[in-house]
PDB file of all heavy atoms in Angstrom:
ATOM      1  N   MET R   1      56.914  21.275 113.529  1.00 37.00           N
ATOM      2  CA  MET R   1      56.885  22.248 112.420  1.00 37.00           C
ATOM      3  C   MET R   1      57.841  23.400 112.737  1.00 37.00           C
ATOM      4  O   MET R   1      57.849  23.935 113.839  1.00 37.00           O
ATOM      5  CB  MET R   1      55.461  22.786 112.220  1.00 37.00           C
ATOM      6  CG  MET R   1      55.339  23.770 111.067  1.00 37.00           C
ATOM      7  SD  MET R   1      53.609  24.297 110.864  1.00 37.00           S
ATOM      8  CE  MET R   1      53.806  25.443 109.509  1.00 37.00           C
ATOM      9  N   LEU R   2      58.654  23.715 111.740  1.00 40.00           N
ATOM     10  CA  LEU R   2      59.626  24.790 111.913  1.00 40.00           C
ATOM     11  C   LEU R   2      58.925  26.139 111.949  1.00 40.00           C
ATOM     12  O   LEU R   2      58.144  26.477 111.071  1.00 40.00           O
ATOM     13  CB  LEU R   2      60.636  24.782 110.758  1.00 40.00           C
ATOM     14  CG  LEU R   2      61.726  25.860 110.802  1.00 40.00           C
ATOM     15  CD1 LEU R   2      62.614  25.659 112.032  1.00 40.00           C
ATOM     16  CD2 LEU R   2      62.551  25.830 109.524  1.00 40.00           C
ATOM     17  N   LYS R   3      59.201  26.899 112.992  1.00 47.00           N
ATOM     18  CA  LYS R   3      58.593  28.212 113.141  1.00 47.00           C
ATOM     19  C   LYS R   3      59.637  29.297 112.907  1.00 47.00           C
ATOM     20  O   LYS R   3      60.645  29.353 113.598  1.00 47.00           O
ATOM     21  CB  LYS R   3      57.992  28.364 114.550  1.00 47.00           C
ATOM     22  CG  LYS R   3      57.243  29.674 114.747  1.00 47.00           C
ATOM     23  CD  LYS R   3      56.625  29.746 116.133  1.00 47.00           C
ATOM     24  CE  LYS R   3      55.869  31.060 116.322  1.00 47.00           C
ATOM     25  NZ  LYS R   3      55.267  31.136 117.690  1.00 47.00           N
ATOM     26  N   ILE R   4      59.407  30.106 111.903  1.00 54.00           N
ATOM     27  CA  ILE R   4      60.339  31.177 111.564  1.00 54.00           C
ATOM     28  C   ILE R   4      59.859  32.480 112.195  1.00 54.00           C
ATOM     29  O   ILE R   4      58.761  32.951 111.911  1.00 54.00           O
ATOM     30  CB  ILE R   4      60.454  31.348 110.031  1.00 54.00           C
ATOM     31  CG1 ILE R   4      60.952  30.045 109.403  1.00 54.00           C
ATOM     32  CG2 ILE R   4      61.403  32.492 109.703  1.00 54.00           C
ATOM     33  CD1 ILE R   4      61.005  30.090 107.889  1.00 54.00           C
ATOM     34  N   LYS R   5      60.662  33.030 113.064  1.00 71.00           N
ATOM     35  CA  LYS R   5      60.307  34.275 113.733  1.00 71.00           C
ATOM     36  C   LYS R   5      60.588  35.459 112.811  1.00 71.00           C
ATOM     37  O   LYS R   5      61.567  35.475 112.076  1.00 71.00           O
ATOM     38  CB  LYS R   5      61.101  34.420 115.026  1.00 71.00           C
ATOM     39  CG  LYS R   5      60.781  33.358 116.070  1.00 71.00           C
ATOM     40  CD  LYS R   5      61.601  33.590 117.332  1.00 71.00           C
ATOM     41  CE  LYS R   5      61.282  32.526 118.368  1.00 71.00           C
ATOM     42  NZ  LYS R   5      62.090  32.721 119.613  1.00 71.00           N
ATOM     43  N   LYS R   6      59.745  36.441 112.900  1.00 85.00           N
ATOM     44  CA  LYS R   6      59.899  37.625 112.068  1.00 85.00           C
ATOM     45  C   LYS R   6      60.889  38.594 112.701  1.00 85.00           C
ATOM     46  O   LYS R   6      61.075  38.620 113.911  1.00 85.00           O
ATOM     47  CB  LYS R   6      58.546  38.319 111.881  1.00 85.00           C
ATOM     48  CG  LYS R   6      57.529  37.497 111.101  1.00 85.00           C
ATOM     49  CD  LYS R   6      56.223  38.266 110.963  1.00 85.00           C
ATOM     50  CE  LYS R   6      55.191  37.461 110.184  1.00 85.00           C
ATOM     51  NZ  LYS R   6      53.895  38.195 110.065  1.00 85.00           N
ATOM     52  N   PHE R   7      61.514  39.397 111.842  1.00 90.00           N
ATOM     53  CA  PHE R   7      62.389  40.458 112.311  1.00 90.00           C
ATOM     54  C   PHE R   7      61.610  41.765 112.343  1.00 90.00           C
ATOM     55  O   PHE R   7      60.748  42.011 111.475  1.00 90.00           O
ATOM     56  CB  PHE R   7      63.603  40.617 111.385  1.00 90.00           C
ATOM     57  CG  PHE R   7      64.549  39.444 111.424  1.00 90.00           C
ATOM     58  CD1 PHE R   7      64.680  38.602 110.329  1.00 90.00           C
ATOM     59  CD2 PHE R   7      65.302  39.187 112.552  1.00 90.00           C
ATOM     60  CE1 PHE R   7      65.551  37.532 110.349  1.00 90.00           C
ATOM     61  CE2 PHE R   7      66.183  38.112 112.600  1.00 90.00           C
ATOM     62  CZ  PHE R   7      66.307  37.276 111.501  1.00 90.00           C
ATOM     63  N   ASN R   8      61.898  42.610 113.322  1.00 93.00           N
ATOM     64  CA  ASN R   8      61.233  43.912 113.367  1.00 93.00           C
ATOM     65  C   ASN R   8      61.881  44.879 112.393  1.00 93.00           C
ATOM     66  O   ASN R   8      62.911  44.567 111.768  1.00 93.00           O
ATOM     67  CB  ASN R   8      61.237  44.471 114.804  1.00 93.00           C
ATOM     68  CG  ASN R   8      62.647  44.673 115.348  1.00 93.00           C
ATOM     69  OD1 ASN R   8      63.499  45.267 114.698  1.00 93.00           O
ATOM     70  ND2 ASN R   8      62.907  44.171 116.553  1.00 93.00           N
ATOM     71  N   ILE R   9      61.318  46.071 112.248  1.00 93.00           N
ATOM     72  CA  ILE R   9      61.775  47.044 111.260  1.00 93.00           C
ATOM     73  C   ILE R   9      63.217  47.470 111.508  1.00 93.00           C
ATOM     74  O   ILE R   9      63.988  47.717 110.572  1.00 93.00           O
ATOM     75  CB  ILE R   9      60.833  48.286 111.235  1.00 93.00           C
ATOM     76  CG1 ILE R   9      61.256  49.249 110.118  1.00 93.00           C
ATOM     77  CG2 ILE R   9      60.812  48.975 112.591  1.00 93.00           C
ATOM     78  CD1 ILE R   9      61.138  48.692 108.733  1.00 93.00           C
ATOM     79  N   TYR R  10      63.618  47.545 112.777  1.00 94.00           N
ATOM     80  CA  TYR R  10      64.992  47.949 113.102  1.00 94.00           C
ATOM     81  C   TYR R  10      65.974  46.850 112.706  1.00 94.00           C
ATOM     82  O   TYR R  10      67.077  47.136 112.211  1.00 94.00           O
ATOM     83  CB  TYR R  10      65.109  48.266 114.596  1.00 94.00           C
ATOM     84  CG  TYR R  10      64.050  49.224 115.076  1.00 94.00           C
ATOM     85  CD1 TYR R  10      63.049  48.802 115.955  1.00 94.00           C
ATOM     86  CD2 TYR R  10      64.043  50.551 114.644  1.00 94.00           C
ATOM     87  CE1 TYR R  10      62.072  49.685 116.387  1.00 94.00           C
ATOM     88  CE2 TYR R  10      63.059  51.434 115.067  1.00 94.00           C
ATOM     89  CZ  TYR R  10      62.076  50.994 115.939  1.00 94.00           C
ATOM     90  OH  TYR R  10      61.112  51.873 116.358  1.00 94.00           O
ATOM     91  N   GLU R  11      65.586  45.602 112.927  1.00 95.00           N
ATOM     92  CA  GLU R  11      66.442  44.487 112.533  1.00 95.00           C
ATOM     93  C   GLU R  11      66.525  44.368 111.015  1.00 95.00           C
ATOM     94  O   GLU R  11      67.587  44.058 110.470  1.00 95.00           O
ATOM     95  CB  GLU R  11      65.901  43.192 113.139  1.00 95.00           C
ATOM     96  CG  GLU R  11      66.039  43.130 114.651  1.00 95.00           C
ATOM     97  CD  GLU R  11      65.382  41.921 115.257  1.00 95.00           C
ATOM     98  OE1 GLU R  11      64.312  41.506 114.738  1.00 95.00           O
ATOM     99  OE2 GLU R  11      65.913  41.379 116.239  1.00 95.00           O
ATOM    100  N   ILE R  12      65.427  44.629 110.330  1.00 95.00           N
ATOM    101  CA  ILE R  12      65.431  44.586 108.867  1.00 95.00           C
ATOM    102  C   ILE R  12      66.372  45.650 108.303  1.00 95.00           C
ATOM    103  O   ILE R  12      67.155  45.388 107.380  1.00 95.00           O
ATOM    104  CB  ILE R  12      64.002  44.777 108.316  1.00 95.00           C
ATOM    105  CG1 ILE R  12      63.146  43.555 108.647  1.00 95.00           C
ATOM    106  CG2 ILE R  12      64.028  45.009 106.804  1.00 95.00           C
ATOM    107  CD1 ILE R  12      61.679  43.716 108.310  1.00 95.00           C
ATOM    108  N   ALA R  13      66.299  46.862 108.864  1.00 95.00           N
ATOM    109  CA  ALA R  13      67.205  47.937 108.432  1.00 95.00           C
ATOM    110  C   ALA R  13      68.652  47.514 108.631  1.00 95.00           C
ATOM    111  O   ALA R  13      69.512  47.734 107.768  1.00 95.00           O
ATOM    112  CB  ALA R  13      66.904  49.214 109.202  1.00 95.00           C
ATOM    113  N   TYR R  14      68.940  46.892 109.777  1.00 96.00           N
ATOM    114  CA  TYR R  14      70.296  46.418 110.078  1.00 96.00           C
ATOM    115  C   TYR R  14      70.734  45.333 109.102  1.00 96.00           C
ATOM    116  O   TYR R  14      71.842  45.364 108.549  1.00 96.00           O
ATOM    117  CB  TYR R  14      70.321  45.924 111.527  1.00 96.00           C
ATOM    118  CG  TYR R  14      71.422  44.972 111.890  1.00 96.00           C
ATOM    119  CD1 TYR R  14      72.768  45.350 111.848  1.00 96.00           C
ATOM    120  CD2 TYR R  14      71.118  43.665 112.315  1.00 96.00           C
ATOM    121  CE1 TYR R  14      73.765  44.464 112.205  1.00 96.00           C
ATOM    122  CE2 TYR R  14      72.112  42.787 112.688  1.00 96.00           C
ATOM    123  CZ  TYR R  14      73.434  43.185 112.622  1.00 96.00           C
ATOM    124  OH  TYR R  14      74.426  42.311 112.980  1.00 96.00           O
ATOM    125  N   LEU R  15      69.859  44.366 108.830  1.00 96.00           N
ATOM    126  CA  LEU R  15      70.205  43.239 107.967  1.00 96.00           C
ATOM    127  C   LEU R  15      70.469  43.664 106.520  1.00 96.00           C
ATOM    128  O   LEU R  15      71.272  43.028 105.824  1.00 96.00           O
ATOM    129  CB  LEU R  15      69.093  42.188 108.003  1.00 96.00           C
ATOM    130  CG  LEU R  15      68.938  41.414 109.317  1.00 96.00           C
ATOM    131  CD1 LEU R  15      67.676  40.568 109.288  1.00 96.00           C
ATOM    132  CD2 LEU R  15      70.155  40.542 109.577  1.00 96.00           C
ATOM    133  N   THR R  16      69.821  44.725 106.075  1.00 96.00           N
ATOM    134  CA  THR R  16      70.025  45.159 104.687  1.00 96.00           C
ATOM    135  C   THR R  16      71.468  45.556 104.414  1.00 96.00           C
ATOM    136  O   THR R  16      71.946  45.442 103.271  1.00 96.00           O
ATOM    137  CB  THR R  16      69.113  46.350 104.341  1.00 96.00           C
ATOM    138  OG1 THR R  16      69.434  47.474 105.188  1.00 96.00           O
ATOM    139  CG2 THR R  16      67.653  45.996 104.469  1.00 96.00           C
ATOM    140  N   PHE R  17      72.192  45.987 105.441  1.00 96.00           N
ATOM    141  CA  PHE R  17      73.567  46.440 105.236  1.00 96.00           C
ATOM    142  C   PHE R  17      74.504  45.289 104.881  1.00 96.00           C
ATOM    143  O   PHE R  17      75.607  45.534 104.371  1.00 96.00           O
ATOM    144  CB  PHE R  17      74.074  47.173 106.483  1.00 96.00           C
ATOM    145  CG  PHE R  17      73.512  48.554 106.628  1.00 96.00           C
ATOM    146  CD1 PHE R  17      72.350  48.763 107.356  1.00 96.00           C
ATOM    147  CD2 PHE R  17      74.130  49.644 106.030  1.00 96.00           C
ATOM    148  CE1 PHE R  17      71.817  50.034 107.494  1.00 96.00           C
ATOM    149  CE2 PHE R  17      73.599  50.920 106.157  1.00 96.00           C
ATOM    150  CZ  PHE R  17      72.432  51.121 106.893  1.00 96.00           C
ATOM    151  N   ALA R  18      74.109  44.059 105.146  1.00 96.00           N
ATOM    152  CA  ALA R  18      74.941  42.912 104.764  1.00 96.00           C
ATOM    153  C   ALA R  18      74.974  42.732 103.248  1.00 96.00           C
ATOM    154  O   ALA R  18      75.870  42.056 102.721  1.00 96.00           O
ATOM    155  CB  ALA R  18      74.422  41.639 105.436  1.00 96.00           C
ATOM    156  N   PHE R  19      74.002  43.332 102.534  1.00 95.00           N
ATOM    157  CA  PHE R  19      73.953  43.232 101.073  1.00 95.00           C
ATOM    158  C   PHE R  19      74.675  44.394 100.387  1.00 95.00           C
ATOM    159  O   PHE R  19      74.843  44.394  99.177  1.00 95.00           O
ATOM    160  CB  PHE R  19      72.493  43.189 100.598  1.00 95.00           C
ATOM    161  CG  PHE R  19      71.738  41.972 101.054  1.00 95.00           C
ATOM    162  CD1 PHE R  19      70.967  41.998 102.213  1.00 95.00           C
ATOM    163  CD2 PHE R  19      71.805  40.794 100.332  1.00 95.00           C
ATOM    164  CE1 PHE R  19      70.274  40.875 102.634  1.00 95.00           C
ATOM    165  CE2 PHE R  19      71.104  39.664 100.744  1.00 95.00           C
ATOM    166  CZ  PHE R  19      70.339  39.706 101.899  1.00 95.00           C
ATOM    167  N   ASP R  20      75.047  45.397 101.141  1.00 93.00           N
ATOM    168  CA  ASP R  20      75.817  46.554 100.703  1.00 93.00           C
ATOM    169  C   ASP R  20      75.402  47.072  99.312  1.00 93.00           C
ATOM    170  O   ASP R  20      74.279  47.527  99.142  1.00 93.00           O
ATOM    171  CB  ASP R  20      77.309  46.249 100.739  1.00 93.00           C
ATOM    172  CG  ASP R  20      78.150  47.519 100.691  1.00 93.00           C
ATOM    173  OD1 ASP R  20      78.008  48.345 101.610  1.00 93.00           O
ATOM    174  OD2 ASP R  20      78.905  47.709  99.727  1.00 93.00           O
ATOM    175  N   SER R  21      76.297  47.006  98.324  1.00 90.00           N
ATOM    176  CA  SER R  21      76.080  47.676  97.031  1.00 90.00           C
ATOM    177  C   SER R  21      74.876  47.154  96.269  1.00 90.00           C
ATOM    178  O   SER R  21      74.365  47.835  95.366  1.00 90.00           O
ATOM    179  CB  SER R  21      77.328  47.542  96.153  1.00 90.00           C
ATOM    180  OG  SER R  21      78.410  48.243  96.728  1.00 90.00           O
ATOM    181  N   LEU R  22      74.418  45.957  96.594  1.00 91.00           N
ATOM    182  CA  LEU R  22      73.223  45.407  95.942  1.00 91.00           C
ATOM    183  C   LEU R  22      72.002  46.273  96.212  1.00 91.00           C
ATOM    184  O   LEU R  22      71.068  46.315  95.403  1.00 91.00           O
ATOM    185  CB  LEU R  22      72.967  43.982  96.439  1.00 91.00           C
ATOM    186  CG  LEU R  22      71.812  43.216  95.791  1.00 91.00           C
ATOM    187  CD1 LEU R  22      72.140  42.909  94.327  1.00 91.00           C
ATOM    188  CD2 LEU R  22      71.541  41.920  96.551  1.00 91.00           C
ATOM    189  N   LEU R  23      72.015  47.011  97.344  1.00 91.00           N
ATOM    190  CA  LEU R  23      70.849  47.800  97.755  1.00 91.00           C
ATOM    191  C   LEU R  23      71.153  49.299  97.827  1.00 91.00           C
ATOM    192  O   LEU R  23      70.549  50.006  98.616  1.00 91.00           O
ATOM    193  CB  LEU R  23      70.341  47.299  99.118  1.00 91.00           C
ATOM    194  CG  LEU R  23      69.869  45.844  99.165  1.00 91.00           C
ATOM    195  CD1 LEU R  23      69.434  45.474 100.577  1.00 91.00           C
ATOM    196  CD2 LEU R  23      68.733  45.604  98.180  1.00 91.00           C
ATOM    197  N   LYS R  24      72.059  49.784  97.011  1.00 89.00           N
ATOM    198  CA  LYS R  24      72.373  51.216  96.997  1.00 89.00           C
ATOM    199  C   LYS R  24      71.663  51.909  95.839  1.00 89.00           C
ATOM    200  O   LYS R  24      71.541  51.366  94.741  1.00 89.00           O
ATOM    201  CB  LYS R  24      73.887  51.445  96.889  1.00 89.00           C
ATOM    202  CG  LYS R  24      74.636  51.143  98.175  1.00 89.00           C
ATOM    203  CD  LYS R  24      76.125  51.441  98.045  1.00 89.00           C
ATOM    204  CE  LYS R  24      76.857  51.151  99.345  1.00 89.00           C
ATOM    205  NZ  LYS R  24      78.315  51.366  99.239  1.00 89.00           N
ATOM    206  N   VAL R  25      71.215  53.139  96.106  1.00 86.00           N
ATOM    207  CA  VAL R  25      70.504  53.917  95.094  1.00 86.00           C
ATOM    208  C   VAL R  25      71.044  55.344  95.085  1.00 86.00           C
ATOM    209  O   VAL R  25      71.617  55.811  96.069  1.00 86.00           O
ATOM    210  CB  VAL R  25      68.982  53.961  95.379  1.00 86.00           C
ATOM    211  CG1 VAL R  25      68.383  52.573  95.270  1.00 86.00           C
ATOM    212  CG2 VAL R  25      68.709  54.539  96.761  1.00 86.00           C
ATOM    213  N   ASP R  26      70.875  56.035  93.961  1.00 83.00           N
ATOM    214  CA  ASP R  26      71.261  57.442  93.865  1.00 83.00           C
ATOM    215  C   ASP R  26      70.103  58.307  94.347  1.00 83.00           C
ATOM    216  O   ASP R  26      68.977  58.196  93.851  1.00 83.00           O
ATOM    217  CB  ASP R  26      71.621  57.797  92.418  1.00 83.00           C
ATOM    218  CG  ASP R  26      72.878  57.077  91.954  1.00 83.00           C
ATOM    219  OD1 ASP R  26      73.830  56.989  92.756  1.00 83.00           O
ATOM    220  OD2 ASP R  26      72.911  56.603  90.806  1.00 83.00           O
ATOM    221  N   LEU R  27      70.388  59.194  95.309  1.00 78.00           N
ATOM    222  CA  LEU R  27      69.339  60.010  95.903  1.00 78.00           C
ATOM    223  C   LEU R  27      69.901  61.380  96.257  1.00 78.00           C
ATOM    224  O   LEU R  27      70.840  61.494  97.060  1.00 78.00           O
ATOM    225  CB  LEU R  27      68.795  59.316  97.159  1.00 78.00           C
ATOM    226  CG  LEU R  27      67.489  59.840  97.752  1.00 78.00           C
ATOM    227  CD1 LEU R  27      66.339  59.614  96.780  1.00 78.00           C
ATOM    228  CD2 LEU R  27      67.196  59.141  99.084  1.00 78.00           C
ATOM    229  N   PHE R  28      69.362  62.428  95.626  1.00 73.00           N
ATOM    230  CA  PHE R  28      69.758  63.817  95.909  1.00 73.00           C
ATOM    231  C   PHE R  28      71.266  64.030  95.753  1.00 73.00           C
ATOM    232  O   PHE R  28      71.903  64.718  96.550  1.00 73.00           O
ATOM    233  CB  PHE R  28      69.327  64.236  97.320  1.00 73.00           C
ATOM    234  CG  PHE R  28      67.864  64.075  97.599  1.00 73.00           C
ATOM    235  CD1 PHE R  28      67.429  63.227  98.598  1.00 73.00           C
ATOM    236  CD2 PHE R  28      66.921  64.758  96.831  1.00 73.00           C
ATOM    237  CE1 PHE R  28      66.081  63.071  98.846  1.00 73.00           C
ATOM    238  CE2 PHE R  28      65.565  64.615  97.071  1.00 73.00           C
ATOM    239  CZ  PHE R  28      65.137  63.772  98.074  1.00 73.00           C
ATOM    240  N   GLY R  29      71.850  63.414  94.723  1.00 72.00           N
ATOM    241  CA  GLY R  29      73.273  63.593  94.477  1.00 72.00           C
ATOM    242  C   GLY R  29      74.165  62.697  95.312  1.00 72.00           C
ATOM    243  O   GLY R  29      75.392  62.736  95.162  1.00 72.00           O
ATOM    244  N   LEU R  30      73.586  61.891  96.203  1.00 77.00           N
ATOM    245  CA  LEU R  30      74.343  60.966  97.031  1.00 77.00           C
ATOM    246  C   LEU R  30      73.993  59.531  96.650  1.00 77.00           C
ATOM    247  O   LEU R  30      72.880  59.239  96.255  1.00 77.00           O
ATOM    248  CB  LEU R  30      74.034  61.172  98.513  1.00 77.00           C
ATOM    249  CG  LEU R  30      74.396  62.521  99.138  1.00 77.00           C
ATOM    250  CD1 LEU R  30      73.851  62.586 100.552  1.00 77.00           C
ATOM    251  CD2 LEU R  30      75.898  62.733  99.147  1.00 77.00           C
ATOM    252  N   ARG R  31      74.977  58.662  96.757  1.00 83.00           N
ATOM    253  CA  ARG R  31      74.693  57.237  96.557  1.00 83.00           C
ATOM    254  C   ARG R  31      74.509  56.627  97.937  1.00 83.00           C
ATOM    255  O   ARG R  31      75.471  56.449  98.685  1.00 83.00           O
ATOM    256  CB  ARG R  31      75.833  56.556  95.805  1.00 83.00           C
ATOM    257  CG  ARG R  31      75.522  55.102  95.452  1.00 83.00           C
ATOM    258  CD  ARG R  31      76.360  54.589  94.316  1.00 83.00           C
ATOM    259  NE  ARG R  31      76.034  53.224  93.968  1.00 83.00           N
ATOM    260  CZ  ARG R  31      74.978  52.852  93.239  1.00 83.00           C
ATOM    261  NH1 ARG R  31      74.151  53.774  92.793  1.00 83.00           N
ATOM    262  NH2 ARG R  31      74.758  51.593  92.964  1.00 83.00           N
ATOM    263  N   LEU R  32      73.260  56.325  98.262  1.00 89.00           N
ATOM    264  CA  LEU R  32      72.925  55.875  99.609  1.00 89.00           C
ATOM    265  C   LEU R  32      72.386  54.452  99.616  1.00 89.00           C
ATOM    266  O   LEU R  32      71.759  54.005  98.650  1.00 89.00           O
ATOM    267  CB  LEU R  32      71.885  56.807 100.237  1.00 89.00           C
ATOM    268  CG  LEU R  32      72.304  58.260 100.481  1.00 89.00           C
ATOM    269  CD1 LEU R  32      71.133  59.048 101.034  1.00 89.00           C
ATOM    270  CD2 LEU R  32      73.493  58.325 101.425  1.00 89.00           C
ATOM    271  N   HIS R  33      72.619  53.784 100.699  1.00 92.00           N
ATOM    272  CA  HIS R  33      72.107  52.436 100.897  1.00 92.00           C
ATOM    273  C   HIS R  33      70.640  52.502 101.334  1.00 92.00           C
ATOM    274  O   HIS R  33      70.231  53.443 102.015  1.00 92.00           O
ATOM    275  CB  HIS R  33      72.944  51.734 101.969  1.00 92.00           C
ATOM    276  CG  HIS R  33      72.717  50.274 102.069  1.00 92.00           C
ATOM    277  ND1 HIS R  33      71.690  49.728 102.808  1.00 92.00           N
ATOM    278  CD2 HIS R  33      73.372  49.231 101.507  1.00 92.00           C
ATOM    279  CE1 HIS R  33      71.730  48.422 102.712  1.00 92.00           C
ATOM    280  NE2 HIS R  33      72.738  48.084 101.934  1.00 92.00           N
ATOM    281  N   ILE R  34      69.869  51.504 100.928  1.00 94.00           N
ATOM    282  CA  ILE R  34      68.459  51.441 101.309  1.00 94.00           C
ATOM    283  C   ILE R  34      68.306  51.471 102.828  1.00 94.00           C
ATOM    284  O   ILE R  34      67.393  52.112 103.376  1.00 94.00           O
ATOM    285  CB  ILE R  34      67.798  50.169 100.741  1.00 94.00           C
ATOM    286  CG1 ILE R  34      67.664  50.266  99.217  1.00 94.00           C
ATOM    287  CG2 ILE R  34      66.433  49.942 101.375  1.00 94.00           C
ATOM    288  CD1 ILE R  34      66.746  51.366  98.736  1.00 94.00           C
ATOM    289  N   GLY R  35      69.209  50.794 103.526  1.00 94.00           N
ATOM    290  CA  GLY R  35      69.168  50.790 104.984  1.00 94.00           C
ATOM    291  C   GLY R  35      69.353  52.179 105.570  1.00 94.00           C
ATOM    292  O   GLY R  35      68.699  52.546 106.557  1.00 94.00           O
ATOM    293  N   VAL R  36      70.236  52.976 104.962  1.00 94.00           N
ATOM    294  CA  VAL R  36      70.443  54.362 105.399  1.00 94.00           C
ATOM    295  C   VAL R  36      69.162  55.163 105.212  1.00 94.00           C
ATOM    296  O   VAL R  36      68.760  55.934 106.089  1.00 94.00           O
ATOM    297  CB  VAL R  36      71.607  55.014 104.624  1.00 94.00           C
ATOM    298  CG1 VAL R  36      71.687  56.515 104.909  1.00 94.00           C
ATOM    299  CG2 VAL R  36      72.935  54.357 104.983  1.00 94.00           C
ATOM    300  N   VAL R  37      68.529  54.990 104.065  1.00 94.00           N
ATOM    301  CA  VAL R  37      67.283  55.713 103.764  1.00 94.00           C
ATOM    302  C   VAL R  37      66.197  55.349 104.780  1.00 94.00           C
ATOM    303  O   VAL R  37      65.495  56.231 105.298  1.00 94.00           O
ATOM    304  CB  VAL R  37      66.808  55.401 102.327  1.00 94.00           C
ATOM    305  CG1 VAL R  37      65.473  56.098 102.049  1.00 94.00           C
ATOM    306  CG2 VAL R  37      67.854  55.835 101.312  1.00 94.00           C
ATOM    307  N   ILE R  38      66.065  54.054 105.088  1.00 94.00           N
ATOM    308  CA  ILE R  38      65.072  53.606 106.071  1.00 94.00           C
ATOM    309  C   ILE R  38      65.324  54.254 107.427  1.00 94.00           C
ATOM    310  O   ILE R  38      64.410  54.775 108.078  1.00 94.00           O
ATOM    311  CB  ILE R  38      65.096  52.068 106.206  1.00 94.00           C
ATOM    312  CG1 ILE R  38      64.624  51.407 104.907  1.00 94.00           C
ATOM    313  CG2 ILE R  38      64.215  51.611 107.384  1.00 94.00           C
ATOM    314  CD1 ILE R  38      64.796  49.899 104.903  1.00 94.00           C
TER     315      ILE R  38
END
């Protein structure tokens, strides 16, 4: 049986940057990536 290991919160924050503009939001006058916010 294939066992999929989980990523920790730091790895998840890192992985989000591979999606770039797909995960960007406007916040306090800045356009920031979700990974940056995390």
Side-chain angles (χ1 to χ4, degrees):
M1 182 178 179
L2 180 64
K3 184 178 180 180
I4 300 176
K5 296 181 180 179
K6 295 180 180 179
F7 292 111
N8 61 49
I9 184 64
Y10 309 112
E11 291 174 324
I12 291 172
Y14 159 64
L15 290 171
T16 62
F17 285 92
F19 295 94
D20 197 61
S21 294
L22 184 68
L23 299 178
K24 286 183 179 177
V25 295
D26 293 319
L27 193 65
F28 304 119
L30 297 173
R31 186 159 181 79
L32 296 177
H33 192 276
I34 290 296
V36 171
V37 177
I38 294 172

